[in-house]
């Protein structure tokens, strides 16, 4: 890809994406979205037109043009849906975009995408696994060796296929998936860098496959394609009810793979999984997401994945069994749409000490999701090194694992003949900051590393401010996102749960979208949300769906099926997310309506979690009916965006009626909302449920309740993300700041006093008075309460989007300094980079703003002297690109075109 984000003199496209991914390999969409961002060094620069051209790259048709959009005059566009000749499977396409500015200057950038297997009929591979009825040679028990507790799990399976090819191919692609988790190797080298692949879907309906470019790994002559498969979400312990093996999806892992080789003369060969593969139980004695993983190096067969294994391994391989073919269905296969989980970074050990029992205690200084890589030294055959994981320590300085519930989260290495071994499990992950290591005489900090795993969504946001505690909070929120975006958005990474809870995702989404580009990630997850919807329209509480779990969506949980697509549309401006979800949104609203014809949602409320974990509970019907109105309203708006007027009118009128019912049933004539809690007012105000005349009263009552609590926050999951924005929207940014910077519990900053490096599940996960909350539900890494992160960007730093804008076309830059002296944020929007940075120093307020080409912004400069605001050294009214809208009490409101601006004003 060419083009950069740094401002150039002329309009420059950069950051090219295909269906929201950079250079995706293995794409099955018929009409992907080709999109770009824009940068420019010229104020007021704006695109007028674009032209996209797509050509075949490589092969006999190299260079053939398959689509030319022609010159399209569209100043709003930052993307185009492919509309050329049908895309062929397994083909690379190169595409260029040329963007022409209003003055005729043009900028160009290039990227590529590559299609995958296409229709399921393109596959020839069979699903294979190990014949469990046979006892293979490597599985024979070794004498004098203690049994390892295996939680009833079975060893991971190794599979191998040796093949010859006359010449090194010019192109080799591996299309692979598993029921379970897989790791594939070509001639001893790992293919790709995806972790926990193929990721979690409801495998009964959909199985994603991945594509790897393995050209460089193949050679003329003998080659080996090899894989290990393990239980994962498919047949391991999944969810909170400690069941495995057949309880949810399947009983035993299976592999499906096709290696497509293309030779210089155009000839092709396919090596596919089938009966000609050999299998064995390998040295991974068990591997489970919740329980952990055990490697027994006594059973290792070095070189098993290469064409030329040493003699001892060759002998062992002779005992491998022919693979068992379990089927050849390909109907459920789909190309993965999101970035895979990857080992995204490594954390060095901050310290290695001894716990009171003399065990090694490793502190990584950060709670995260991932695993430990450890170099073990001084080993003797059969020695066991045991690694246990925990988020925190108990008061005696031992790891605290009670809150993991039944998740053993324990990895075990059994030593072979070598005195030194490097151990890193491959088919599990844990949520932890501390690792307890036993079985080693000594352990150096340099010998342990924390490997951070998460879905590799590109980081898009940055935030800083003058209060280090608020910055730490922001980092904790980011770490909550990293730790819980693992294939699907989960509630927590540590205990026996880690489920795709819908409300958690819904409330955190606005924050998540500012931290990272999660368009593709949520697109994949929404498929699971829709897939889990019942025939009569009911969404669930968790997605992917678990088999055998009756799950009817609760208010605020099921509603995520409406709120998430809508929010994604506003952030990314891609209408297809609404197209894909509108029918499901309508069906959900119809479901709620059908069962609640009086428009107060009190029936079919699933497990009704209400304002989950609130300190002041809000009446259930208030919460539910507010969400009913919201879902109806957003469904109407989605229909309107898609030009479906009749649908828009129907749901718009339903929303209006539900709002009326809400008012009649729950709101008094003087603006009191039933329950009289923070969340009751937050929902009523944020979801626009009150007649205009009552809004100021309700806002005032909300402020009173906040003040009476300390000022403090008493909401649970459903109110927490709304409190700062709603207070701010109603003129009480001062109170939002008071809540933000409060350090006594309950508050966002109080966990920092206990060393928190992630956001906690509960306001009182640990308190000085009581110590730990009940272990049955006390995660230290849940993101829901971190939903305040949105206001750090939009309120504190002032980086936001105007209310009716989609895809960051119209920005709202309105910093709320509070008692801070500086704050800044940047965000890589679909349109280009947005930046704000302000300081308050020596009586002056200085604000820098960057607006990407094609966008414009309303900028609100806080100052007691609106007439004295200057931009770039001249009075704002005279500055190029600046148009004054109004001098307001305490602020100057102006409108700016794209470019960089430097405002100075007298400070409050
Ligand atoms: C999860 C949540 C979830 C909730 C439903 C908890 O066990 O951790 O985050 O939303 O259940 O009430």
């Amino acid at each position: 890809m060419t083009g950069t984000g740094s401002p150039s003199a002329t309009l420059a496209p950069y950051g090219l994406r295909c269906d929201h991914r950079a250079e995706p390999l293995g794409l099955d969409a018929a009409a992907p979205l080709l999109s770009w961002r824009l940068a420019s060094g010229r104020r007021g620069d704006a695109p007028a037109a674009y032209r996209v051209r797509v050509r075949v790259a490589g092969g006999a048709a190299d260079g053939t043009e398959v689509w030319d959009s022609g010159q399209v005059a569209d100043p709003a566009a930052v993307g185009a849906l492919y509309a050329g000749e049908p895309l062929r499977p397994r083909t690379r396409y190169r595409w260029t975009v040329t963007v022409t500015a209003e003055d005729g200057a043009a900028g160009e950038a290039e990227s590529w995408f590559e299609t995958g297997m296409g229709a399921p009929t393109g596959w020839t591979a069979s699903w294979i696994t190990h014949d469990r009825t046979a006892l293979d040679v490597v599985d024979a028990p070794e004498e004098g060796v203690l049994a390892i507790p295996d939680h009833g799990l079975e060893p991971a399976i190794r599979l191998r296929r040796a093949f010859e090819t006359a010449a090194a191919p010019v192109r080799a692609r591996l299309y692979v998936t598993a029921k379970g988790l897989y790791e594939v190797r070509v001639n001893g080298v790992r293919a790709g860098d995806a972790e926990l692949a193929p990721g979690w879907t409801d495998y009964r309906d959909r199985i994603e496959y991945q594509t790897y470019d393995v050209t460089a790994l193949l050679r003329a002559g003998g080659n080996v394609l090899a894989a290990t498969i393990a239980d994962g979400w498919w047949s391991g312990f999944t969810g909170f009810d400690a069941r495995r093996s057949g309880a949810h999806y399947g009983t035993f892992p299976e592999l499906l793979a096709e290696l497509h080789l293309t030779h210089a003369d155009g000839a092709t060969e396919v090596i596919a999984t089938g009966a000609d593969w050999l299998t064995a139980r390998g040295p991974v004695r068990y591997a489970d997401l919740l329980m952990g993983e055990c490697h027994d190096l006594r059973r290792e067969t070095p070189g098993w994945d290469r064409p030329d294994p040493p003699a001892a391994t060759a002998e062992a391989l002779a005992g491998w069994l022919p693979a068992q073919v379990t089927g050849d269905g390909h109907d459920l296969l789909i190309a993965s749409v999101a970035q895979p989980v990857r080992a995204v970074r490594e954390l060095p050990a901050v310290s290695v000490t001894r716990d009171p029992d003399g065990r090694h205690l490793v502190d990584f200084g950060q709670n995260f999701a991932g695993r430990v890589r450890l170099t073990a030294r001084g080993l003797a055959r059969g020695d066991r090194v045991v690694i246990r994981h925990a988020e925190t320590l108990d008061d005696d300085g031992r790891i605290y694992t009670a809150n993991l519930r039944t998740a053993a989260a324990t990895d075990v290495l059994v030593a072979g003949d070598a005195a030194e071994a490097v151990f890193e499990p491959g088919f599990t992950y844990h949520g932890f900051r501390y690792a307890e290591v036993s079985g080693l005489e000594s352990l150096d900090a340099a010998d342990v590393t924390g490997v951070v795993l998460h879905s590799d969504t590109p980081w898009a946001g940055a935030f800083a401010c003058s209060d280090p505690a608020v910055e730490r909070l922001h980092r904790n929120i980011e770490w909550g996102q990293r730790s819980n975006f693992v294939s699907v958005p989960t509630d927590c990474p540590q205990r026996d749960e880690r489920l795709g809870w819908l409300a958690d995702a819904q409330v955190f989404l606005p924050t998540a979208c500012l931290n990272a580009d999660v368009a593709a990630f949520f697109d994949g997850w929404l498929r699971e949300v829709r897939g889990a919807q019942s025939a009569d329209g009911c969404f669930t509480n968790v997605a992917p769906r678990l088999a055998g779990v009756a799950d009817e969506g609760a208010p605020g949980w099921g509603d995520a099926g409406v709120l998430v697509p809508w929010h994604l549309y506003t952030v990314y401006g891609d209408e297809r997310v609404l197209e894909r979800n509108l029918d499901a949104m309508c069906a959900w609203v119809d479901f709620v309506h059908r069962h609640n014809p009086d428009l107060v949602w009190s029936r079919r409320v699933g497990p009704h979690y209400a304002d989950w974990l609130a300190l002041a509970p809000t009446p259930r019907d208030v919460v539910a009916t507010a969400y009913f109105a919201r879902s109806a309203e957003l469904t109407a708006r989605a229909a309107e965006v898609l030009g479906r007027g009749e649908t828009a009118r129907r749901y718009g009128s339903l929303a209006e009626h539900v709002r009326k019912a809400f008012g009649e049933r729950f709101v008094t004539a003087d603006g009191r909302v039933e329950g009289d809690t923070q969340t009751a007012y937050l929902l009523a105000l944020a979801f626009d449920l009150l007649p205009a005349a009552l809004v100021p009263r309700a806002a005032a009552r909300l402020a009173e309740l906040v003040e009476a609590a300390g000022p403090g926050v008493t909401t649970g999951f459903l109110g927490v993300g709304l409190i700062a924005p709603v207070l701010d929207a109603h003129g009480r940014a001062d109170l939002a700041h008071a809540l933000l910077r409060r350090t006594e519990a309950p508050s966002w900053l109080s966990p920092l006093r206990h060393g928190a490096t992630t956001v906690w599940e509960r306001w009182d996960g640990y308190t000085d008075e009581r110590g730990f909350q009940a272990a049955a539900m006390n995660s230290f890494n849940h993101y829901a309460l971190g939903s305040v992160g949105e206001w750090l960007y939009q309120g504190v730093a002032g980086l936001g989007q105007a209310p009716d804008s989609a895809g960051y076309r119209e920005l709202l830059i309105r910093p709320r300094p509070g008692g801070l002296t500086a704050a800044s944020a940047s965000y890589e929007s679909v349109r280009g980079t947005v930046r704000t940075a302000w300081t308050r120093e020596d009586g002056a307020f200085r604000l820098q703003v960057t607006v990407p080409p094609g966008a414009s912004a309303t900028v609100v400069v806080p100052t007691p002297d609106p007439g004295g605001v200057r931009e770039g050294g001249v009075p704002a009214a005279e500055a190029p690109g600046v148009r004054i809208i109004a001098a307001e009490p305490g602020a100057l409101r102006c409108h700016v075109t794209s470019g960089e601006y430097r405002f100075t004003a007298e400070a409050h």
Side-chain angles (χ1 to χ4, degrees):
M1 191 172 66
T2 55
T4 66
S6 55
S8 61
T10 55
L11 205 54
Y14 74 98
L16 275 56
R17 296 280 188 277
C18 174
D19 268 351
H20 302 285
R21 282 185 296 161
E23 300 173 347
L25 200 58
L27 181 104
D28 274 351
L33 174 69
L34 304 174
S35 63
W36 53 89
R37 299 184 170 126
L38 293 170
S40 167
R42 297 186 302 181
R43 186 174 287 190
D45 213 354
Y50 71 84
R51 180 174 182 185
V52 173
R53 268 165 295 187
V54 184
R55 291 189 168 79
V56 175
D62 185 39
T64 311
E65 186 167 280
V66 291
W67 186 44
D68 180 349
S69 70
Q71 187 81 348
V72 181
D74 183 352
V78 277
L81 286 180
Y82 176 80
E85 287 170 27
L87 296 170
R88 280 172 293 180
R90 298 184 296 278
T91 305
R92 182 168 292 209
Y93 293 92
R94 233 181 19 244
W95 65 282
T96 53
V97 58
T98 313
V99 179
T100 310
E102 281 167 350
D103 67 358
E108 187 169 289
E110 182 179 299
S111 185
W112 58 263
F113 64 90
E114 189 177 305
T115 54
M117 288 293 288
T121 46
W123 292 85
T124 56
S126 300
W127 289 96
I128 58 170
T129 191
H130 181 68
D131 182 355
R132 294 159 83 202
T133 58
L135 183 67
D136 36 323
V137 177
V138 287
D139 205 33
E142 186 167 339
E143 253 178 59
V145 167
L146 291 171
I148 298 157
D150 61 5
H151 313 285
L153 294 156
E154 294 181 49
I157 300 306
R158 280 183 168 174
L159 310 96
R160 182 183 201 272
R161 162 83 203 269
F163 63 95
E164 300 273 327
T165 179
V170 292
R171 181 182 193 274
R173 293 291 184 272
L174 181 62
Y175 305 93
V176 56
T177 189
K179 295 173 180 171
L181 304 177
Y182 70 80
E183 190 200 283
V184 207
R185 306 178 79 80
V186 178
N187 294 329
V189 179
R190 179 145 175 223
D193 55 3
E195 298 284 347
L196 308 176
W200 189 7
T201 53
D202 183 342
Y203 303 108
R204 297 164 303 169
D205 293 340
R206 285 167 298 282
I207 303 176
E208 292 197 331
Y209 71 88
Q210 284 76 38
T211 304
Y212 303 110
D213 179 352
V214 293
T215 313
L217 306 183
L218 286 144
R219 57 195 195 196
N223 291 275
V224 164
L225 181 56
T228 304
I229 51 174
D231 287 324
W233 294 282
W234 161 259
S235 51
F237 286 92
T238 301
F240 45 37
D241 53 356
R243 295 187 295 161
R244 72 162 296 271
S245 223
H248 295 305
Y249 305 111
T251 49
F252 200 58
E254 300 172 21
L255 178 74
L256 182 107
E258 282 188 20
L259 174 62
H260 286 240
L261 308 181
T262 310
H263 293 285
D265 60 0
T268 56
E269 278 180 272
V270 178
I271 314 295
T273 43
D276 49 359
W277 285 55
L278 295 175
T279 72
R281 292 175 158 100
V284 175
R285 303 315 292 164
Y286 61 86
D288 182 79
L289 295 170
L290 300 183
M291 297 306 162
E293 189 162 319
C294 170
H295 283 218
D296 187 344
L297 296 182
R298 296 166 308 176
R299 295 168 194 260
E300 188 51 274
T301 46
W304 69 281
D305 51 1
R306 293 200 309 263
D308 47 0
T313 295
E315 202 180 307
L317 289 172
W320 284 33
L321 302 171
Q324 190 186 359
V325 172
T326 56
D328 49 18
H330 306 120
D331 290 353
L332 303 183
L333 297 175
I334 49 171
S336 55
V337 295
Q339 298 85 2
V341 175
R342 292 195 173 102
V344 175
R345 63 201 254 184
E346 300 197 342
L347 300 174
V350 171
S351 67
V352 180
T353 53
R354 297 267 182 179
D355 78 359
D357 304 317
R359 297 191 193 96
H360 299 292
L361 186 63
V362 184
D363 179 2
F364 291 103
Q366 175 61 54
N367 199 10
F368 68 102
R371 53 207 183 206
V372 170
R373 185 171 63 237
L374 174 145
T375 305
R377 303 176 199 278
L379 298 170
R381 187 178 175 82
D383 277 359
R384 265 194 258 168
V385 181
V386 179
I387 310 175
R388 297 172 66 221
H389 304 77
E391 293 185 285
T392 183
L393 303 179
D394 66 18
D395 294 339
D396 299 328
R398 293 182 181 84
I399 58 170
Y400 178 77
T401 57
N403 69 333
L404 307 187
R405 305 196 301 219
T406 65
T410 301
D411 297 332
V412 181
L413 174 73
V414 182
D417 292 326
E420 192 178 310
V422 178
F423 175 41
E424 180 185 342
F427 304 98
T428 189
Y429 78 99
H430 314 292
F432 66 106
R433 168 178 170 170
Y434 297 94
E436 175 208 88
V437 181
S438 48
L440 283 178
E441 274 301 307
S442 64
L443 182 63
D444 274 0
D447 289 338
V448 262
T449 302
V451 179
V452 179
L453 299 184
H454 60 80
S455 286
D456 198 6
T457 57
W459 224 243
F463 169 85
C465 76
S466 55
D467 181 348
V470 174
E471 284 192 340
R472 179 71 242 191
L473 169 67
H474 172 70
R475 280 205 300 284
N476 291 4
I477 292 168
E478 289 182 330
W479 276 104
Q481 179 163 341
R482 289 197 180 94
S483 314
N484 283 299
F485 281 20
V486 179
S487 181
V488 302
T490 63
D491 57 334
C492 58
Q494 74 297 84
R495 69 182 178 218
D496 55 353
E497 185 148 6
R498 313 184 192 183
L499 294 170
W501 284 100
L502 268 70
D504 303 44
Q506 175 263 109
V507 302
F508 188 65
L509 183 68
T511 300
C513 288
L514 285 159
N515 284 333
D517 176 355
V518 295
F521 177 79
F522 273 99
D523 198 29
W525 184 65
L526 279 174
R527 214 181 36 210
E528 297 307 310
V529 171
R530 291 193 302 276
Q533 189 174 32
S534 68
D536 61 351
C538 187
F539 284 125
T540 48
N541 293 294
V542 299
R545 189 164 49 125
L546 294 169
V549 178
D551 191 29
E552 203 164 279
W557 270 252
D559 295 290
V562 176
L563 275 74
V564 171
W566 175 256
H567 189 77
L568 293 174
Y569 163 70
T570 65
V571 172
Y572 301 109
D574 182 355
E575 291 177 11
R576 295 175 309 161
V577 71
L578 299 180
E579 271 159 26
R580 284 196 273 262
N581 290 283
L582 185 65
D583 289 347
M585 294 157 80
C586 293
W588 164 251
V589 175
D590 291 347
F591 170 85
V592 176
H593 188 193
R594 197 161 53 244
H595 294 287
N596 299 277
D598 60 351
L599 307 184
V600 170
W601 187 4
S602 59
R603 288 170 295 273
R604 301 300 289 265
V605 286
H608 213 324
Y609 300 115
D611 185 20
W612 184 244
L613 299 182
L615 301 175
T618 300
R620 295 149 56 100
D621 291 0
V622 171
V623 171
T625 308
Y627 265 98
F628 183 12
R630 182 67 172 165
S631 281
E633 169 68 24
L634 295 184
T635 300
R637 282 203 230 168
E640 199 178 313
V641 169
L642 298 178
R644 289 172 53 175
E646 177 45 38
T647 309
R649 273 189 294 283
R650 182 147 57 91
Y651 290 93
S653 133
L654 175 62
E656 195 44 55
H657 285 103
V658 180
R659 271 196 290 272
K660 207 161 149 263
F662 182 91
E664 284 167 7
R665 183 66 183 273
F666 303 122
V667 186
T668 64
D670 63 351
R672 287 275 167 137
V673 180
E674 191 165 310
D676 199 32
T677 59
Q678 293 179 3
T679 295
Y681 293 100
L682 290 170
L683 295 174
L685 290 164
F687 295 173
D688 204 8
L689 306 181
L690 302 172
L694 295 185
V695 167
R697 294 188 192 198
R701 180 62 189 152
L702 168 67
E704 265 170 38
L705 289 170
V706 170
E707 264 158 359
V713 56
T714 59
T715 74
F717 281 21
L718 297 184
V720 68
L722 304 176
I723 194 161
V726 169
L727 286 168
D728 183 350
H730 294 278
R732 297 306 307 269
D734 62 318
L735 270 186
H737 268 284
L739 295 184
L740 176 64
R741 304 192 63 198
R742 174 183 160 119
T743 52
E744 320 84 84
S747 68
W748 285 291
L749 297 188
S750 68
L752 304 189
R753 291 197 291 126
H754 303 289
T757 58
T758 38
V759 173
W760 296 355
E761 177 176 26
R762 316 181 72 132
W763 293 114
D764 59 352
Y766 186 95
T767 61
D768 289 327
E769 306 76 48
R770 195 213 40 237
F772 290 108
Q773 246 289 3
M777 219 185 72
N778 195 22
S779 147
F780 293 102
N781 203 350
H782 246 68
Y783 49 56
L785 297 187
S787 308
V788 68
E790 180 192 24
W791 194 72
L792 297 181
Y793 287 92
Q794 295 185 351
V796 176
L799 188 161
Q801 199 179 178
D804 291 323
S805 164
Y808 282 79
R809 185 106 206 270
E810 180 63 34
L811 313 180
L812 176 60
I813 308 295
R814 187 175 52 185
R816 300 300 199 194
L820 298 167
T821 55
S824 63
S826 72
Y827 174 63
E828 200 51 29
S829 80
V830 282
R831 205 162 286 279
T833 310
V834 185
R835 249 186 235 111
T836 66
W838 61 260
T839 57
R840 192 170 49 181
E841 228 175 11
D842 307 327
F845 185 81
R846 294 188 174 80
L847 171 64
Q848 280 184 46
V849 179
T850 306
V851 179
S856 57
T858 296
V859 180
V860 184
V861 184
T863 175
D865 177 20
V869 176
R870 299 171 78 81
E871 194 287 316
V874 301
E878 294 164 22
V882 181
R883 177 169 57 81
I884 308 295
I885 301 173
E888 299 176 349
L892 178 74
R893 179 177 290 259
C894 52
H895 193 262
V896 303
T897 58
S898 68
E900 296 205 11
Y901 297 84
R902 286 162 193 271
F903 293 94
T904 49
E906 187 187 330
H908 277 291

